[in-house]
Amino acid sequence: MTQWEKNLAELGITLPPVVPPVAAYVPAIRTGSLVYTSGQLPFVDGELSAVGKVGAEVSVEEAKEAARLCALNALAAVHDLVGLDAVVRIVKVVGFVASAPGFGDQPVVINGASEFLGQVFGDSGKHARSAVGVSELPRNTPVEVELIAEVR
């Protein structure tokens, strides 16, 4: 069992199947030593974990959990393409938060993804990051996360 598999098992998490694209794109693509994922939504068994704007219908804690699920789905896309054993480090995370007017805690929300990646990969999960507030996201999801991973 690899370290990332042990870490996921300790968290009580299994890697889900890749979420099928909802439009004209692929879940992940490799160029050289980098894998870029498409934006991932917080799908669990084909359903969104939450809908609505953060700071209105969705609490910060619910949104952090949604960000964690987005990161998990991004890892599933990376695993399907190259296998998580190939991951050297997580390079960058970009998180989008559908924000109610006046909501400014986007970084706190995207910590759900960042902290999860640290739990899975340790120091190799530390990354550069952007957390952006937006007015709308696909399917009324509160959070979308994409990542870039360096691979062997």
Side-chain angles (χ1 to χ4, degrees):
M1 183 178 276
T2 64
Q3 189 59 50
W4 66 264
E5 287 172 315
K6 289 177 189 169
N7 293 345
L8 283 176
E10 286 175 12
L11 295 170
I13 297 171
T14 57
L15 206 56
V18 176
V19 175
V22 297
Y25 62 88
V26 295
I29 193 161
R30 181 179 183 164
T31 182
S33 63
L34 298 175
V35 171
Y36 291 75
T37 70
S38 294
Q40 298 293 313
L41 306 184
F43 280 112
V44 177
D45 298 326
E47 301 291 326
L48 289 171
S49 67
V51 293
K53 301 249 187 305
V54 183
E57 303 89 356
V58 179
S59 72
V60 171
E61 284 307 311
E62 289 170 317
K64 278 184 75 173
E65 174 61 16
R68 184 188 71 79
L69 291 168
C70 292
L72 177 63
N73 289 333
L75 291 184
V78 172
H79 184 64
D80 189 60
L81 184 67
V82 297
L84 287 186
D85 292 342
V87 173
V88 174
R89 75 169 303 110
I90 303 300
V91 176
K92 174 103 189 229
V93 169
V94 179
F96 302 95
V97 181
S99 303
F103 181 78
D105 281 338
Q106 292 84 5
V108 174
V109 170
I110 302 306
N111 279 348
S114 295
E115 292 165 359
F116 172 70
L117 293 167
Q119 290 172 318
V120 175
F121 293 107
D123 284 344
S124 297
K126 293 180 181 175
H127 51 269
R129 186 180 90 177
S130 299
V132 181
V134 298
S135 62
E136 299 289 336
L137 284 170
R139 300 192 174 197
N140 199 28
T141 186
V143 183
E144 181 173 350
V145 171
E146 62 185 54
L147 63 81
I148 302 168
E150 180 185 359
V151 296
R152 296 182 201 6

